[in-house]
Amino acid sequence: MSEKKAKFTAIDAIIILVILAVIVVGAIKILPSFTSGSEKEKVDFTVMVQNKDEDFANAITIGDDVTISLTEKDGGVVKNVESKPAVTMVYNSIDGTYSNEVIEGKYDVYVTIEADTDVSDLAIKAGGTAVKVGAEIPVRGKGYASTGYVIGIDD
C-alpha cells in the first residue's frame, strides 16, 4: 500500500489568509459595539407612581435624595414633583363603551429625578440600575417608598 501525503499548496495558504482576514475585519467592526465607552452625564428622567394618597404626593419635596434601586444604593435628586388626580378606565356594559373616571382621593405622582449616569450607545445606567422608558423602578426617600414607571428621559 502506498501512503498518500497531504500537500499544502499556495491555494490552501490563500484560502486560510482570506478566512483570517474576514475574521479580523469582523472583529474590528463588532467589538466596538460591545466595548463602547460610556460617558458620565447627569440625566433627568420622570417616574410616574400611580394611585397614591395625597400624603404620598405631599411627602416628596424638591431636593430630596431618592434611591432608585432595591438592591443597590443607586440614587438621584428630586428636581420636580407633580400630582394629578388618578384616572381609571371603566367599562359600561349597558352601552358597551369605555370611559375614564377619576378615582376619588387617589393621585398619580410624577417625580422628575436627576441622577449621575453612565451613558453609552447601549444603555443609560445610574450605577447598576438601567434607566429606560417603561422600566419599573422604586422611588424611596425619607418617609416614603413606592414603585413607578419611567415615562420620559431628558438627557
Side-chain angles (χ1 to χ4, degrees):
M1 278 206 162
S2 66
E3 226 175 277
K4 291 188 178 182
K5 245 185 181 178
K7 293 183 180 181
F8 189 74
T9 64
I11 294 175
D12 295 333
I14 292 172
I15 292 172
I16 291 172
L17 288 175
V18 167
I19 292 172
L20 287 175
V22 168
I23 291 171
V24 169
V25 169
I28 290 172
K29 294 281 187 190
I30 292 174
L31 283 180
S33 67
F34 292 115
T35 61
S36 63
S38 63
E39 298 175 18
K40 295 280 188 191
E41 193 175 317
K42 286 193 181 290
V43 172
D44 291 352
F45 58 95
T46 303
V47 178
M48 180 178 67
V49 183
Q50 296 178 305
N51 295 331
K52 292 296 170 187
D53 294 328
E54 189 174 5
D55 293 341
F56 179 83
N58 293 335
I60 304 172
T61 57
I62 294 173
D64 282 354
D65 289 325
V66 292
T67 304
I68 58 171
S69 172
L70 293 174
T71 57
E72 306 292 329
K73 290 294 180 184
D74 304 333
V77 177
V78 175
K79 290 296 179 186
N80 191 26
V81 180
E82 290 181 48
S83 60
K84 298 178 182 174
V87 175
T88 187
M89 187 174 287
V90 177
Y91 177 69
N92 182 338
S93 61
I94 294 172
D95 60 9
T97 61
Y98 288 93
S99 63
N100 288 330
E101 291 188 11
V102 173
I103 303 171
E104 288 297 320
K106 297 291 183 179
Y107 295 89
D108 291 340
V109 182
Y110 299 85
V111 184
T112 301
I113 301 169
E114 179 183 71
D116 292 323
T117 60
D118 293 319
V119 178
S120 70
D121 293 340
L122 302 175
I124 299 173
K125 288 192 165 198
T129 304
V131 177
K132 57 185 173 184
V133 173
E136 182 177 16
I137 64 170
V139 176
R140 299 184 300 160
K142 191 170 187 167
Y144 55 90
S146 190
T147 302
Y149 294 92
V150 176
I151 60 167
I153 299 174
D154 299 323
D155 57 346

